[in-house]
Amino acid sequence: MGYRAAARRIGVNQDPVKKLARRFTLHGKLCLVKKPTKQQFSFDVKKEVVDRFNAGQSKMDLAREFGLSSDQLVTSWVRAWRTGGDQALRPKPKGRPKGSSPSKVITEEDRLRREVEKLQAENAYLKKLRDLRNQRRG
């Protein structure tokens, strides 16, 4: 039975059936029992996989040899390498880069303008408070 016929029979799209069939080919019955965990691979492993794929080795063989969850990882690494070179395979730093918080980018003029607004609001609050106290006394 082909992907399309199997997908129609169980009432789903063709893509998930294809992915499951590829994982079954790669991992056997274990792909039905155990959900693959998200592993992180070093730059050296990714580079080795890309180099060997470019040398002519198949995606399935590479995925099997390196213990990848799917042969699609090979495809995504090769695509990233072709667009961004070796740098695209290196791990990305987590979080916001240092020095990029909005408070660091504010100019001196903006800082002074905010301070003036804050002082004006504080002044208006204190005047209102004074007026309320004067009303109680009088």
Side-chain angles (χ1 to χ4, degrees):
M1 185 181 291
Y3 298 128
R4 186 177 294 154
R8 270 196 218 130
R9 189 168 193 177
I10 59 175
V12 297
N13 284 334
Q14 186 176 344
D15 289 338
V17 174
K18 244 185 209 180
K19 285 181 182 177
L20 183 61
R22 293 176 91 116
R23 285 194 182 195
F24 188 83
T25 303
L26 189 61
H27 299 290
K29 291 180 183 177
L30 287 177
C31 79
L32 300 173
V33 177
K34 184 171 96 175
K35 184 178 177 185
T37 59
K38 186 169 174 94
Q39 286 182 294
Q40 291 188 351
F41 295 92
S42 69
F43 166 76
D44 297 328
V45 170
K46 291 178 185 179
K47 182 68 171 146
E48 175 77 17
V49 169
V50 169
D51 289 343
R52 287 173 61 178
F53 177 79
N54 288 335
Q57 208 166 345
S58 76
K59 293 189 294 186
M60 277 295 200
D61 290 341
L62 289 168
R64 202 173 282 119
E65 183 179 336
F66 286 92
L68 305 179
S69 61
S70 168
D71 64 326
Q72 293 301 308
L73 266 177
V74 177
T75 305
S76 65
W77 291 346
V78 169
R79 186 177 299 129
W81 179 80
R82 285 182 179 154
T83 57
D86 287 349
Q87 195 61 30
L89 297 178
R90 295 199 186 277
K92 310 293 184 280
K94 302 282 185 198
R96 184 182 291 179
K98 290 184 179 179
S100 69
S101 66
S103 62
K104 303 272 186 199
V105 182
I106 296 174
T107 64
E108 183 68 15
E109 185 179 331
D110 289 337
R111 188 187 67 75
L112 291 172
R113 187 173 290 122
R114 281 188 179 177
E115 188 175 345
V116 166
E117 289 173 0
K118 179 185 166 197
L119 291 171
Q120 286 174 340
E122 188 177 315
N123 202 10
Y125 173 78
L126 291 172
K127 283 181 182 178
K128 192 71 161 173
L129 187 63
R130 183 193 62 204
D131 292 343
L132 287 172
R133 281 189 180 160
N134 287 340
Q135 279 181 354
R136 276 194 217 157
R137 290 182 187 159

